[in-house]
Amino acid sequence: MNYLPEDEACKLFEEAKAAAAHTYSPYSHFPVGAAVLTADGAIFRGANVENASYSVTICAERTALGYAISAGNTGIKAIAVYSNTDSISPCGACRQFIIEFGKDVIVIFKNEQKLIQRTIQELLPFEFTKASME
Ligand code: THU
């Protein structure tokens, strides 16, 4: 698999950690940060943004991707997700959101304190995408 070199993965994970500082999570008290690396090397951060109507909450990954896409980037190379716990990986809704931008997007996350890299397709096999409707 075409994962990121370890130092680049660590750097993106640190960006995700920094992004968590701007969480709005008064309900769960669970700060999450994400950082997107675009094909041309730009980095966009995002944090989770909660709502009194809980289901309206936006996860950190979707916030960061929203920033990247709306700044004109559709080439998404990687996304890192951070929380202050032993393990975190994107929720199911975020996996669906990420795979919209390519099966090879690299996802960087922590599992039992170790930094893991997987493609989004590895995290979401038998995916449903626009190709499924062709
Ligand atoms: N959350 C994320 O931001 N990303 C994930 O992948 C998992 C969950 C947020 C949503 C909510 O604000 C809080 O974590 C607790 O579920």
Side-chain angles (χ1 to χ4, degrees), residues 30-113:
F30 187 68
V32 182
V36 167
L37 175 66
T38 68
D40 41 13
I43 291 175
F44 293 86
R45 295 177 181 176
N48 53 333
V49 182
E50 298 187 343
N51 193 275
S53 178
Y54 295 174
S55 66
V56 178
T57 290
I58 308 172
C59 290
E61 297 92 318
R62 281 178 278 154
T63 305
L65 278 165
Y67 270 119
I69 301 300
S70 54
N73 302 281
T74 47
I76 305 296
K77 188 165 179 189
I79 180 167
V81 54
Y82 168 88
S83 77
N84 187 24
T85 49
D86 285 356
S87 305
I88 175 99
S89 74
C91 76
C94 286
R95 292 176 194 213
Q96 179 66 31
F97 201 86
I98 294 165
I99 209 165
E100 180 70 22
F101 304 105
K103 294 176 184 180
D104 297 328
V105 175
I106 300 159
V107 185
I108 297 158
F109 56 96
K110 212 168 38 171
N111 186 267
E112 295 179 352
Q113 305 280 16

